[in-house]
Amino acid sequence: MAGFSREHQDDAHRLALDDHAIAREALARLHQTAQDCQAKVITTERPYFGDIAHAVAEALPGQWDVSIEHYPDGTIPSHLLDWVWEASPALSTLAKYRTPGAAILRDGGGTELLLAERTWDGRYVTGTLLPSPDHLHVTGAGPRTVVATTAREAAADIRSLLLPSFEQLVHLARLREAQEDLGWVHGKEPGTVNRGELDAALDRFLAHAPYLLAVTSQASIKPLADSESAVLVRFENLLARPQTGPGAQAGPEPGGTDEALALWLEAGEDLLDVVRSATTSPAAEPSLPGITTATPPKPPAAVTGARTR
């Protein structure tokens, strides 16, 4: 046994085994405590699951927070599985088997991963959780869950397969939601649009716009024409303008100024065309798992606060 580790409320205690006398005394106390609590101590050569989760997180780009969940009855909560967004049932089938625990990895930017160990073969499965519906509505199959035998393999598959697929699907969902809102408002007769619904649609666009602009600036499918660059500059300037008043931040005030509303209605379609042309190959969107919107588009719902899970 290379080491013994135990995790309690995110604090890990590690017992070094290089000093045999100390290790023997600690393990003897553990055995006695287990007897007193009518519990069973089983040694195994498999690494502790919490160590695997942290090793995976450390090998991913950026900073990831790890939460370890323990299920004494061996059942992964159904409400957690309801949040899984996957193209295959690799994670959802865990409900049929004993699952003593799982880990949730969060990057702080809205991406959440569910990592669990399959008890029947000891392999590690990782899938994504659905984006919060208060920020983005997605339907249809999500990224394909990855399965690996080690933490290193799991991290490699997450970096090369899972995260790129998740980011692409979220990007397409942002594009389609923005397109749906624009189609809805342009399909209305002038003066018939409810101002509250219009402001909600504009707020959604202003929430998506920074991400769409950032992805477009990083894309390399094709160079942008001068007219396309000019469209991006107009929206970048709009988002970069400081607000006024206490607690002001960069970008138009939520609810939309008249200038933001006018630019959105005038050049929103042009912006989406530029983003789509620069970030999506001709065959990419139809080939990806379905992210659909209602047809015909329904009036936008009001924007709500961030939802926690």
Side-chain angles (χ1 to χ4, degrees):
M1 214 172 33
F4 171 83
S5 62
R6 173 176 56 86
E7 187 150 320
H8 178 68
Q9 295 180 347
D10 295 332
D11 294 325
H13 172 74
R14 298 175 182 275
L15 173 63
L17 299 184
D18 50 352
D19 190 320
H20 293 178
I22 294 178
R24 187 178 299 107
E25 179 183 357
L27 291 173
R29 288 200 302 268
L30 173 63
H31 180 71
Q32 184 60 52
T33 301
Q35 283 188 325
D36 295 341
C37 297
Q38 297 182 342
K40 182 183 293 186
V41 176
I42 300 176
T43 60
T44 177
E45 294 183 356
R46 286 196 61 79
Y48 170 58
F49 176 72
D51 294 339
I52 292 293
H54 283 280
V56 170
E58 291 170 0
L60 298 180
Q63 299 293 323
W64 292 76
D65 175 69
V66 179
S67 297
I68 306 297
E69 298 195 351
H70 301 280
Y71 312 130
D73 62 353
T75 303
I76 189 169
S78 59
H79 70 267
L80 178 57
L81 290 177
D82 288 341
W83 282 102
V84 173
W85 186 28
E86 60 179 347
S88 62
L91 266 174
S92 55
T93 53
L94 290 175
K96 302 178 181 179
Y97 303 91
R98 177 174 176 78
T99 305
I104 299 178
L105 283 60
R106 301 179 177 90
D107 73 344
T111 303
E112 297 180 329
L113 308 177
L114 178 61
L115 170 68
E117 181 180 2
R118 295 199 309 208
T119 54
W120 64 90
D121 64 1
R123 303 185 76 186
Y124 304 105
V125 293
T126 311
T128 60
L129 298 183
L130 283 162
S132 170
D134 291 324
H135 301 292
L136 187 66
H137 291 269
V138 296
T139 61
R144 184 171 295 277
T145 297
V146 296
V147 182
T149 56
T150 66
R152 178 179 296 182
E153 291 178 3
D157 288 343
I158 293 171
R159 289 195 308 266
S160 62
L161 300 174
L162 189 60
L163 290 180
S165 177
F166 176 82
E167 291 166 1
Q168 177 72 345
L169 288 169
V170 168
H171 172 64
L172 291 178
R174 292 186 190 279
L175 268 175
R176 295 180 189 180
E177 188 166 281
Q179 186 68 66
E180 182 183 51
D181 282 336
L182 273 173
W184 166 77
V185 70
H186 285 315
K188 293 288 186 178
E189 292 292 332
T192 64
V193 179
N194 178 277
R195 181 67 196 208
E197 294 176 347
L198 184 63
D199 284 346
L202 176 59
D203 285 344
R204 272 194 300 275
F205 168 76
L206 294 176
H208 294 328
Y211 296 95
L212 296 177
L213 292 172
V215 171
T216 304
S217 66
Q218 298 168 3
S220 58
I221 290 181
K222 73 176 187 65
L224 297 179
D226 291 343
S227 58
E228 294 175 322
S229 297
V231 171
L232 296 183
V233 169
R234 293 183 68 186
F235 282 96
E236 288 169 352
N237 291 339
L238 173 69
L239 295 174
R241 282 176 196 158
Q243 296 180 20
T244 58
Q249 298 178 353
E253 186 176 348
T257 62
D258 290 341
E259 183 180 7
L261 179 61
L263 181 59
W264 176 52
L265 295 178
E266 173 200 346
E269 290 281 2
D270 294 335
L271 174 66
L272 296 184
D273 287 343
V274 173
V275 174
R276 190 177 295 107
S277 174
T279 62
T280 308
S281 60
E285 191 164 343
S287 65
L288 286 169
I291 302 178
T292 60
T293 54
T295 304
K298 299 178 181 179
V303 174
T304 59
R307 177 174 179 176
T308 57
R309 53 176 177 258

